Amino acid sequence: MYNDDNIFAKILSKKIPCKLIYENDFALAFYDIFPKSKIHALVIPKGKYLTFLDFTSTASLNEVQGFFAALKETTELLNLPNGFRVISNTGKDGGQEVPHFHMHILGGEDLGPLIRKP
Ligand code: AMP
């Protein structure tokens, strides 16, 4: 169940600010407030979707296309010629903290292996 009080819903409604990178009709891209790499951005759909699965199974084709276009534009604006990593944490095992679908773009340095367990 989507909760309108989540932090990304508040960013979308401009109740709290963000460091904007890119915006189109369907998505917003901004810098992560607690960066996990030298460059760390988030891309979120403007619609109310809880998870990756919720988004990919219920969003319209326009929304999906608009979201991935924003993701692509954002990686270009961030200028990451040596590459980057795109991640979507989903649910409890995926470590999802904010219950509004989002994708992380991480880069600006060698990120090492995909998973580093403590
Ligand atoms: P996840 O664990 O995939 O749900 O990631 C949520 C991400 O949102 C984390 O990397 C947080 O640092 C980030 N975050 C939380 N609050 C904000 C905020 N107000 N502005 C930007 N990023 C945020």
Side-chain angles (χ1 to χ4, degrees):
M1 190 72 155
Y2 187 85
N3 178 354
D4 286 298
D5 282 339
N6 79 76
I7 202 91
F8 294 168
K10 288 180 181 164
I11 287 175
L12 283 167
S13 63
K14 299 194 183 337
K15 283 184 189 136
I16 65 162
C18 71
K19 209 170 154 199
L20 188 70
I21 303 168
Y22 179 80
E23 178 172 11
N24 67 14
D25 287 347
F26 301 101
L28 202 68
F30 52 90
Y31 287 101
D32 195 293
I33 205 166
F34 300 119
K36 314 297 185 298
S37 56
K38 274 191 185 156
I39 305 281
H40 186 174
L42 298 166
V43 186
I44 67 173
K46 290 188 174 177
K48 299 177 180 185
Y49 299 101
L50 201 52
T51 64
F52 174 83
L53 275 182
D54 185 21
F55 181 68
T56 51
S57 55
T58 64
S60 69
L61 283 179
N62 276 347
E63 287 176 290
V64 174
Q65 189 178 38
F67 175 82
F68 281 99
L71 186 63
K72 174 191 168 285
E73 287 296 329
T74 305
T75 61
E76 287 174 1
L77 287 169
L78 291 172
N79 186 30
L80 302 164
N82 294 326
F84 55 87
R85 185 171 290 160
V86 174
I87 291 176
S88 178
N89 296 326
T90 301
K92 183 175 161 291
D93 281 1
Q96 182 175 2
E97 289 169 7
V98 179
H100 179 111
F101 168 55
H102 52 281
M103 294 197 88
H104 298 256
I105 301 169
L106 299 146
E109 62 183 315
D110 184 344
L111 297 170
L114 181 58
I115 292 175
R116 263 175 264 170
K117 288 190 175 174

